[in-house]
PDB file of all heavy atoms in Angstrom:
ATOM      1  N   GLY U 537      35.869   1.577  12.830  1.00 95.00           N
ATOM      2  CA  GLY U 537      36.948   0.573  13.210  1.00 95.00           C
ATOM      3  C   GLY U 537      37.282  -0.428  12.071  1.00 95.00           C
ATOM      4  O   GLY U 537      38.326  -1.201  12.145  1.00 95.00           O
ATOM      5  N   THR U 538      36.495  -0.532  11.025  1.00 96.00           N
ATOM      6  CA  THR U 538      36.844  -1.447   9.891  1.00 96.00           C
ATOM      7  C   THR U 538      37.445  -0.720   8.754  1.00 96.00           C
ATOM      8  O   THR U 538      37.348   0.537   8.644  1.00 96.00           O
ATOM      9  CB  THR U 538      35.628  -2.060   9.429  1.00 96.00           C
ATOM     10  OG1 THR U 538      34.663  -1.208   8.826  1.00 96.00           O
ATOM     11  CG2 THR U 538      34.856  -2.959  10.459  1.00 96.00           C
ATOM     12  N   ARG U 539      38.130  -1.444   7.818  1.00 96.00           N
ATOM     13  CA  ARG U 539      38.840  -0.856   6.733  1.00 96.00           C
ATOM     14  C   ARG U 539      37.936  -0.569   5.644  1.00 96.00           C
ATOM     15  O   ARG U 539      36.954  -1.440   5.415  1.00 96.00           O
ATOM     16  CB  ARG U 539      39.962  -1.657   6.247  1.00 96.00           C
ATOM     17  CG  ARG U 539      41.153  -1.681   7.303  1.00 96.00           C
ATOM     18  CD  ARG U 539      42.489  -2.357   6.638  1.00 96.00           C
ATOM     19  NE  ARG U 539      43.034  -1.531   5.597  1.00 96.00           N
ATOM     20  CZ  ARG U 539      43.785  -0.428   5.770  1.00 96.00           C
ATOM     21  NH1 ARG U 539      44.034   0.028   7.007  1.00 96.00           N
ATOM     22  NH2 ARG U 539      44.344   0.189   4.823  1.00 96.00           N
ATOM     23  N   LEU U 540      38.041   0.394   4.941  1.00 96.00           N
ATOM     24  CA  LEU U 540      37.207   0.756   3.783  1.00 96.00           C
ATOM     25  C   LEU U 540      37.994   1.578   2.754  1.00 96.00           C
ATOM     26  O   LEU U 540      38.860   2.343   2.998  1.00 96.00           O
ATOM     27  CB  LEU U 540      36.071   1.728   4.285  1.00 96.00           C
ATOM     28  CG  LEU U 540      35.105   2.182   3.197  1.00 96.00           C
ATOM     29  CD1 LEU U 540      34.237   1.071   2.618  1.00 96.00           C
ATOM     30  CD2 LEU U 540      34.157   3.228   3.811  1.00 96.00           C
ATOM     31  N   LYS U 541      37.787   1.098   1.407  1.00 96.00           N
ATOM     32  CA  LYS U 541      38.446   1.921   0.404  1.00 96.00           C
ATOM     33  C   LYS U 541      37.317   2.453  -0.474  1.00 96.00           C
ATOM     34  O   LYS U 541      36.448   1.778  -0.869  1.00 96.00           O
ATOM     35  CB  LYS U 541      39.197   0.855  -0.510  1.00 96.00           C
ATOM     36  CG  LYS U 541      39.797   1.661  -1.723  1.00 96.00           C
ATOM     37  CD  LYS U 541      40.811   0.711  -2.594  1.00 96.00           C
ATOM     38  CE  LYS U 541      41.325   1.505  -3.729  1.00 96.00           C
ATOM     39  NZ  LYS U 541      42.220   0.785  -4.573  1.00 96.00           N
ATOM     40  N   LEU U 542      37.481   3.747  -0.821  1.00 97.00           N
ATOM     41  CA  LEU U 542      36.580   4.482  -1.636  1.00 97.00           C
ATOM     42  C   LEU U 542      37.313   5.099  -2.830  1.00 97.00           C
ATOM     43  O   LEU U 542      38.344   5.696  -2.544  1.00 97.00           O
ATOM     44  CB  LEU U 542      35.738   5.571  -0.898  1.00 97.00           C
ATOM     45  CG  LEU U 542      34.816   5.023   0.283  1.00 97.00           C
ATOM     46  CD1 LEU U 542      34.317   6.249   1.028  1.00 97.00           C
ATOM     47  CD2 LEU U 542      33.694   4.175  -0.355  1.00 97.00           C
ATOM     48  N   HIS U 543      36.754   5.044  -4.006  1.00 96.00           N
ATOM     49  CA  HIS U 543      37.210   5.809  -5.169  1.00 96.00           C
ATOM     50  C   HIS U 543      36.719   7.221  -4.998  1.00 96.00           C
ATOM     51  O   HIS U 543      35.551   7.444  -4.511  1.00 96.00           O
ATOM     52  CB  HIS U 543      36.643   5.287  -6.434  1.00 96.00           C
ATOM     53  CG  HIS U 543      37.067   3.725  -6.690  1.00 96.00           C
ATOM     54  ND1 HIS U 543      38.232   3.424  -7.170  1.00 96.00           N
ATOM     55  CD2 HIS U 543      36.480   2.624  -6.243  1.00 96.00           C
ATOM     56  CE1 HIS U 543      38.376   2.116  -7.279  1.00 96.00           C
ATOM     57  NE2 HIS U 543      37.249   1.554  -6.716  1.00 96.00           N
ATOM     58  N   THR U 544      37.560   8.198  -5.149  1.00 96.00           N
ATOM     59  CA  THR U 544      37.177   9.576  -4.708  1.00 96.00           C
ATOM     60  C   THR U 544      37.198  10.605  -5.918  1.00 96.00           C
ATOM     61  O   THR U 544      37.981  10.410  -6.816  1.00 96.00           O
ATOM     62  CB  THR U 544      37.998  10.097  -3.622  1.00 96.00           C
ATOM     63  OG1 THR U 544      39.391  10.004  -3.939  1.00 96.00           O
ATOM     64  CG2 THR U 544      37.717   9.401  -2.317  1.00 96.00           C
ATOM     65  N   TYR U 545      36.368  11.512  -5.853  1.00 96.00           N
ATOM     66  CA  TYR U 545      36.417  12.789  -6.621  1.00 96.00           C
ATOM     67  C   TYR U 545      36.909  13.911  -5.797  1.00 96.00           C
ATOM     68  O   TYR U 545      36.284  14.108  -4.679  1.00 96.00           O
ATOM     69  CB  TYR U 545      35.003  13.126  -7.253  1.00 96.00           C
ATOM     70  CG  TYR U 545      34.949  14.335  -7.973  1.00 96.00           C
ATOM     71  CD1 TYR U 545      35.414  14.442  -9.305  1.00 96.00           C
ATOM     72  CD2 TYR U 545      34.459  15.537  -7.309  1.00 96.00           C
ATOM     73  CE1 TYR U 545      35.288  15.628  -9.960  1.00 96.00           C
ATOM     74  CE2 TYR U 545      34.476  16.706  -7.977  1.00 96.00           C
ATOM     75  CZ  TYR U 545      34.829  16.785  -9.301  1.00 96.00           C
ATOM     76  OH  TYR U 545      34.814  17.927 -10.010  1.00 96.00           O
ATOM     77  N   HIS U 546      37.886  14.555  -6.087  1.00 95.00           N
ATOM     78  CA  HIS U 546      38.517  15.560  -5.276  1.00 95.00           C
ATOM     79  C   HIS U 546      38.087  16.940  -5.911  1.00 95.00           C
ATOM     80  O   HIS U 546      38.583  17.371  -6.847  1.00 95.00           O
ATOM     81  CB  HIS U 546      40.026  15.526  -5.291  1.00 95.00           C
ATOM     82  CG  HIS U 546      40.720  16.360  -4.349  1.00 95.00           C
ATOM     83  ND1 HIS U 546      42.044  16.413  -4.263  1.00 95.00           N
ATOM     84  CD2 HIS U 546      40.290  17.268  -3.368  1.00 95.00           C
ATOM     85  CE1 HIS U 546      42.413  17.378  -3.280  1.00 95.00           C
ATOM     86  NE2 HIS U 546      41.314  17.910  -2.852  1.00 95.00           N
ATOM     87  N   LEU U 547      37.178  17.604  -5.223  1.00 94.00           N
ATOM     88  CA  LEU U 547      36.671  18.826  -5.709  1.00 94.00           C
ATOM     89  C   LEU U 547      37.604  19.935  -5.113  1.00 94.00           C
ATOM     90  O   LEU U 547      37.869  19.992  -3.851  1.00 94.00           O
ATOM     91  CB  LEU U 547      35.196  19.106  -5.135  1.00 94.00           C
ATOM     92  CG  LEU U 547      34.677  20.518  -5.306  1.00 94.00           C
ATOM     93  CD1 LEU U 547      34.435  20.741  -6.861  1.00 94.00           C
ATOM     94  CD2 LEU U 547      33.495  20.767  -4.445  1.00 94.00           C
ATOM     95  N   VAL U 548      38.126  20.735  -6.024  1.00 93.00           N
ATOM     96  CA  VAL U 548      38.956  21.891  -5.605  1.00 93.00           C
ATOM     97  C   VAL U 548      38.505  23.140  -6.301  1.00 93.00           C
ATOM     98  O   VAL U 548      38.413  23.350  -7.465  1.00 93.00           O
ATOM     99  CB  VAL U 548      40.456  21.621  -6.010  1.00 93.00           C
ATOM    100  CG1 VAL U 548      41.414  22.875  -5.655  1.00 93.00           C
ATOM    101  CG2 VAL U 548      41.018  20.391  -5.502  1.00 93.00           C
ATOM    102  N   ARG U 549      38.055  24.013  -5.356  1.00 90.00           N
ATOM    103  CA  ARG U 549      37.533  25.281  -5.814  1.00 90.00           C
ATOM    104  C   ARG U 549      38.313  26.434  -4.999  1.00 90.00           C
ATOM    105  O   ARG U 549      38.963  26.114  -4.109  1.00 90.00           O
ATOM    106  CB  ARG U 549      36.013  25.438  -5.509  1.00 90.00           C
ATOM    107  CG  ARG U 549      35.225  24.609  -6.384  1.00 90.00           C
ATOM    108  CD  ARG U 549      33.752  24.952  -6.242  1.00 90.00           C
ATOM    109  NE  ARG U 549      32.884  24.155  -7.130  1.00 90.00           N
ATOM    110  CZ  ARG U 549      31.636  23.856  -6.868  1.00 90.00           C
ATOM    111  NH1 ARG U 549      31.136  24.192  -5.874  1.00 90.00           N
ATOM    112  NH2 ARG U 549      31.001  23.053  -7.709  1.00 90.00           N
ATOM    113  N   GLU U 550      38.178  27.651  -5.426  1.00 92.00           N
ATOM    114  CA  GLU U 550      38.916  28.814  -4.870  1.00 92.00           C
ATOM    115  C   GLU U 550      38.534  28.789  -3.346  1.00 92.00           C
ATOM    116  O   GLU U 550      39.406  29.081  -2.445  1.00 92.00           O
ATOM    117  CB  GLU U 550      38.509  30.064  -5.482  1.00 92.00           C
ATOM    118  CG  GLU U 550      39.440  31.141  -5.256  1.00 92.00           C
ATOM    119  CD  GLU U 550      39.032  32.386  -6.117  1.00 92.00           C
ATOM    120  OE1 GLU U 550      39.275  32.231  -7.310  1.00 92.00           O
ATOM    121  OE2 GLU U 550      38.546  33.349  -5.609  1.00 92.00           O
ATOM    122  N   ASP U 551      37.265  28.519  -3.021  1.00 91.00           N
ATOM    123  CA  ASP U 551      36.792  28.765  -1.616  1.00 91.00           C
ATOM    124  C   ASP U 551      36.489  27.421  -0.915  1.00 91.00           C
ATOM    125  O   ASP U 551      35.905  27.375   0.189  1.00 91.00           O
ATOM    126  CB  ASP U 551      35.601  29.551  -1.611  1.00 91.00           C
ATOM    127  CG  ASP U 551      34.482  29.004  -2.370  1.00 91.00           C
ATOM    128  OD1 ASP U 551      34.696  28.048  -3.202  1.00 91.00           O
ATOM    129  OD2 ASP U 551      33.257  29.400  -2.234  1.00 91.00           O
ATOM    130  N   GLN U 552      36.799  26.228  -1.614  1.00 89.00           N
ATOM    131  CA  GLN U 552      36.337  24.926  -1.045  1.00 89.00           C
ATOM    132  C   GLN U 552      37.105  23.805  -1.538  1.00 89.00           C
ATOM    133  O   GLN U 552      37.592  23.787  -2.615  1.00 89.00           O
ATOM    134  CB  GLN U 552      34.835  24.721  -1.317  1.00 89.00           C
ATOM    135  CG  GLN U 552      34.239  23.457  -0.943  1.00 89.00           C
ATOM    136  CD  GLN U 552      32.901  23.255  -1.469  1.00 89.00           C
ATOM    137  OE1 GLN U 552      32.419  23.945  -2.345  1.00 89.00           O
ATOM    138  NE2 GLN U 552      32.204  22.237  -0.912  1.00 89.00           N
ATOM    139  N   GLN U 553      37.342  22.828  -0.643  1.00 93.00           N
ATOM    140  CA  GLN U 553      37.893  21.450  -1.093  1.00 93.00           C
ATOM    141  C   GLN U 553      37.079  20.444  -0.531  1.00 93.00           C
ATOM    142  O   GLN U 553      36.695  20.562   0.704  1.00 93.00           O
ATOM    143  CB  GLN U 553      39.369  21.379  -0.653  1.00 93.00           C
ATOM    144  CG  GLN U 553      40.341  22.079  -1.523  1.00 93.00           C
ATOM    145  CD  GLN U 553      41.781  21.430  -1.302  1.00 93.00           C
ATOM    146  OE1 GLN U 553      41.972  20.155  -1.299  1.00 93.00           O
ATOM    147  NE2 GLN U 553      42.709  22.313  -1.259  1.00 93.00           N
ATOM    148  N   ALA U 554      36.724  19.319  -1.167  1.00 95.00           N
ATOM    149  CA  ALA U 554      35.849  18.265  -0.632  1.00 95.00           C
ATOM    150  C   ALA U 554      36.217  17.032  -1.382  1.00 95.00           C
ATOM    151  O   ALA U 554      36.613  17.005  -2.571  1.00 95.00           O
ATOM    152  CB  ALA U 554      34.322  18.703  -0.696  1.00 95.00           C
ATOM    153  N   LEU U 555      36.010  16.001  -0.675  1.00 96.00           N
ATOM    154  CA  LEU U 555      36.151  14.581  -1.327  1.00 96.00           C
ATOM    155  C   LEU U 555      34.785  13.884  -1.272  1.00 96.00           C
ATOM    156  O   LEU U 555      33.953  13.960  -0.388  1.00 96.00           O
ATOM    157  CB  LEU U 555      37.067  13.728  -0.470  1.00 96.00           C
ATOM    158  CG  LEU U 555      38.593  13.977  -0.565  1.00 96.00           C
ATOM    159  CD1 LEU U 555      39.263  13.079   0.476  1.00 96.00           C
ATOM    160  CD2 LEU U 555      39.040  13.739  -1.928  1.00 96.00           C
ATOM    161  N   PHE U 556      34.441  13.325  -2.518  1.00 97.00           N
ATOM    162  CA  PHE U 556      33.180  12.579  -2.599  1.00 97.00           C
ATOM    163  C   PHE U 556      33.561  11.103  -2.882  1.00 97.00           C
ATOM    164  O   PHE U 556      34.430  10.798  -3.818  1.00 97.00           O
ATOM    165  CB  PHE U 556      32.401  13.133  -3.767  1.00 97.00           C
ATOM    166  CG  PHE U 556      31.844  14.518  -3.519  1.00 97.00           C
ATOM    167  CD1 PHE U 556      32.697  15.529  -3.789  1.00 97.00           C
ATOM    168  CD2 PHE U 556      30.619  14.808  -2.893  1.00 97.00           C
ATOM    169  CE1 PHE U 556      32.296  16.826  -3.510  1.00 97.00           C
ATOM    170  CE2 PHE U 556      30.155  15.987  -2.669  1.00 97.00           C
ATOM    171  CZ  PHE U 556      31.018  17.080  -2.925  1.00 97.00           C
ATOM    172  N   GLY U 557      33.048  10.206  -2.164  1.00 97.00           N
ATOM    173  CA  GLY U 557      33.539   8.739  -2.228  1.00 97.00           C
ATOM    174  C   GLY U 557      32.501   7.892  -2.778  1.00 97.00           C
ATOM    175  O   GLY U 557      31.297   8.078  -2.574  1.00 97.00           O
ATOM    176  N   PHE U 558      33.044   6.810  -3.574  1.00 96.00           N
ATOM    177  CA  PHE U 558      32.262   5.867  -4.195  1.00 96.00           C
ATOM    178  C   PHE U 558      32.791   4.374  -4.033  1.00 96.00           C
ATOM    179  O   PHE U 558      33.998   4.222  -4.014  1.00 96.00           O
ATOM    180  CB  PHE U 558      32.115   6.090  -5.663  1.00 96.00           C
ATOM    181  CG  PHE U 558      31.619   7.560  -5.936  1.00 96.00           C
ATOM    182  CD1 PHE U 558      32.556   8.600  -6.032  1.00 96.00           C
ATOM    183  CD2 PHE U 558      30.305   7.932  -5.972  1.00 96.00           C
ATOM    184  CE1 PHE U 558      32.076   9.945  -6.186  1.00 96.00           C
ATOM    185  CE2 PHE U 558      29.932   9.186  -6.031  1.00 96.00           C
ATOM    186  CZ  PHE U 558      30.816  10.204  -6.160  1.00 96.00           C
ATOM    187  N   ARG U 559      31.886   3.463  -3.953  1.00 93.00           N
ATOM    188  CA  ARG U 559      32.304   2.031  -3.801  1.00 93.00           C
ATOM    189  C   ARG U 559      33.147   1.596  -4.976  1.00 93.00           C
ATOM    190  O   ARG U 559      34.016   0.709  -4.941  1.00 93.00           O
ATOM    191  CB  ARG U 559      31.197   1.175  -3.529  1.00 93.00           C
ATOM    192  CG  ARG U 559      30.604   1.350  -2.063  1.00 93.00           C
ATOM    193  CD  ARG U 559      29.363   0.517  -1.939  1.00 93.00           C
ATOM    194  NE  ARG U 559      28.370   1.060  -2.825  1.00 93.00           N
ATOM    195  CZ  ARG U 559      27.073   0.925  -2.666  1.00 93.00           C
ATOM    196  NH1 ARG U 559      26.603   0.203  -1.572  1.00 93.00           N
ATOM    197  NH2 ARG U 559      26.200   1.569  -3.430  1.00 93.00           N
ATOM    198  N   THR U 560      32.689   1.855  -6.265  1.00 91.00           N
ATOM    199  CA  THR U 560      33.233   1.334  -7.477  1.00 91.00           C
ATOM    200  C   THR U 560      33.600   2.523  -8.465  1.00 91.00           C
ATOM    201  O   THR U 560      33.220   3.607  -8.318  1.00 91.00           O
ATOM    202  CB  THR U 560      32.134   0.547  -8.256  1.00 91.00           C
ATOM    203  OG1 THR U 560      31.078   1.391  -8.656  1.00 91.00           O
ATOM    204  CG2 THR U 560      31.610  -0.583  -7.289  1.00 91.00           C
ATOM    205  N   SER U 561      34.595   2.196  -9.319  1.00 88.00           N
ATOM    206  CA  SER U 561      35.111   3.100 -10.371  1.00 88.00           C
ATOM    207  C   SER U 561      33.862   3.456 -11.289  1.00 88.00           C
ATOM    208  O   SER U 561      33.913   4.510 -11.779  1.00 88.00           O
ATOM    209  CB  SER U 561      36.215   2.462 -11.128  1.00 88.00           C
ATOM    210  OG  SER U 561      35.897   1.241 -11.696  1.00 88.00           O
ATOM    211  N   GLU U 562      32.878   2.510 -11.538  1.00 85.00           N
ATOM    212  CA  GLU U 562      31.778   2.805 -12.419  1.00 85.00           C
ATOM    213  C   GLU U 562      30.956   3.904 -11.800  1.00 85.00           C
ATOM    214  O   GLU U 562      30.514   4.819 -12.384  1.00 85.00           O
ATOM    215  CB  GLU U 562      30.896   1.546 -12.488  1.00 85.00           C
ATOM    216  CG  GLU U 562      31.569   0.453 -13.343  1.00 85.00           C
ATOM    217  CD  GLU U 562      32.630  -0.376 -12.517  1.00 85.00           C
ATOM    218  OE1 GLU U 562      32.579  -0.437 -11.391  1.00 85.00           O
ATOM    219  OE2 GLU U 562      33.547  -0.902 -13.229  1.00 85.00           O
ATOM    220  N   GLU U 563      30.717   3.812 -10.390  1.00 90.00           N
ATOM    221  CA  GLU U 563      29.922   4.949  -9.819  1.00 90.00           C
ATOM    222  C   GLU U 563      30.677   6.357  -9.935  1.00 90.00           C
ATOM    223  O   GLU U 563      30.109   7.290 -10.229  1.00 90.00           O
ATOM    224  CB  GLU U 563      29.775   4.667  -8.294  1.00 90.00           C
ATOM    225  CG  GLU U 563      28.678   3.460  -8.037  1.00 90.00           C
ATOM    226  CD  GLU U 563      28.547   3.153  -6.681  1.00 90.00           C
ATOM    227  OE1 GLU U 563      29.249   3.760  -5.688  1.00 90.00           O
ATOM    228  OE2 GLU U 563      27.601   2.423  -6.243  1.00 90.00           O
ATOM    229  N   LEU U 564      31.942   6.319  -9.781  1.00 92.00           N
ATOM    230  CA  LEU U 564      32.844   7.474  -9.828  1.00 92.00           C
ATOM    231  C   LEU U 564      32.745   8.000 -11.254  1.00 92.00           C
ATOM    232  O   LEU U 564      32.604   9.165 -11.550  1.00 92.00           O
ATOM    233  CB  LEU U 564      34.135   7.301  -9.470  1.00 92.00           C
ATOM    234  CG  LEU U 564      35.256   8.319  -9.677  1.00 92.00           C
ATOM    235  CD1 LEU U 564      34.747   9.657  -8.930  1.00 92.00           C
ATOM    236  CD2 LEU U 564      36.627   7.997  -9.151  1.00 92.00           C
ATOM    237  N   GLY U 565      32.811   7.167 -12.256  1.00 87.00           N
ATOM    238  CA  GLY U 565      32.739   7.476 -13.613  1.00 87.00           C
ATOM    239  C   GLY U 565      31.465   8.092 -14.015  1.00 87.00           C
ATOM    240  O   GLY U 565      31.409   9.204 -14.701  1.00 87.00           O
ATOM    241  N   PHE U 566      30.421   7.475 -13.515  1.00 87.00           N
ATOM    242  CA  PHE U 566      28.970   8.045 -13.825  1.00 87.00           C
ATOM    243  C   PHE U 566      28.889   9.429 -13.085  1.00 87.00           C
ATOM    244  O   PHE U 566      28.250  10.425 -13.656  1.00 87.00           O
ATOM    245  CB  PHE U 566      28.037   7.062 -13.338  1.00 87.00           C
ATOM    246  CG  PHE U 566      26.548   7.514 -13.794  1.00 87.00           C
ATOM    247  CD1 PHE U 566      26.240   7.719 -15.169  1.00 87.00           C
ATOM    248  CD2 PHE U 566      25.568   7.710 -12.855  1.00 87.00           C
ATOM    249  CE1 PHE U 566      24.984   8.029 -15.521  1.00 87.00           C
ATOM    250  CE2 PHE U 566      24.268   7.985 -13.241  1.00 87.00           C
ATOM    251  CZ  PHE U 566      24.006   8.190 -14.607  1.00 87.00           C
ATOM    252  N   PHE U 567      29.396   9.632 -11.843  1.00 93.00           N
ATOM    253  CA  PHE U 567      29.335  10.855 -11.183  1.00 93.00           C
ATOM    254  C   PHE U 567      30.089  11.919 -12.050  1.00 93.00           C
ATOM    255  O   PHE U 567      29.592  13.024 -12.189  1.00 93.00           O
ATOM    256  CB  PHE U 567      30.070  10.673  -9.766  1.00 93.00           C
ATOM    257  CG  PHE U 567      30.216  11.925  -9.013  1.00 93.00           C
ATOM    258  CD1 PHE U 567      29.293  12.277  -8.168  1.00 93.00           C
ATOM    259  CD2 PHE U 567      31.409  12.557  -8.957  1.00 93.00           C
ATOM    260  CE1 PHE U 567      29.399  13.446  -7.349  1.00 93.00           C
ATOM    261  CE2 PHE U 567      31.612  13.784  -8.261  1.00 93.00           C
ATOM    262  CZ  PHE U 567      30.556  14.199  -7.412  1.00 93.00           C
ATOM    263  N   ASN U 568      31.287  11.614 -12.490  1.00 91.00           N
ATOM    264  CA  ASN U 568      31.973  12.571 -13.359  1.00 91.00           C
ATOM    265  C   ASN U 568      31.184  12.891 -14.543  1.00 91.00           C
ATOM    266  O   ASN U 568      31.197  14.001 -15.018  1.00 91.00           O
ATOM    267  CB  ASN U 568      33.362  11.982 -13.807  1.00 91.00           C
ATOM    268  CG  ASN U 568      34.341  12.057 -12.612  1.00 91.00           C
ATOM    269  OD1 ASN U 568      34.580  13.041 -12.031  1.00 91.00           O
ATOM    270  ND2 ASN U 568      35.200  11.048 -12.475  1.00 91.00           N
ATOM    271  N   LEU U 569      30.500  11.992 -15.133  1.00 90.00           N
ATOM    272  CA  LEU U 569      29.688  12.239 -16.345  1.00 90.00           C
ATOM    273  C   LEU U 569      28.489  13.172 -15.945  1.00 90.00           C
ATOM    274  O   LEU U 569      28.302  14.021 -16.793  1.00 90.00           O
ATOM    275  CB  LEU U 569      29.218  10.921 -16.935  1.00 90.00           C
ATOM    276  CG  LEU U 569      28.656  10.945 -18.351  1.00 90.00           C
ATOM    277  CD1 LEU U 569      29.610  11.483 -19.292  1.00 90.00           C
ATOM    278  CD2 LEU U 569      28.116   9.634 -18.707  1.00 90.00           C
TER     279      LEU U 569
END
């Protein structure tokens, strides 16, 4: 019921799509690395 914003990595594969969420852009950047 509360608002939340997450920075996301959008995984797109031939057989799958998924979103992975992070609180900060730093976490997302490290995830990408």
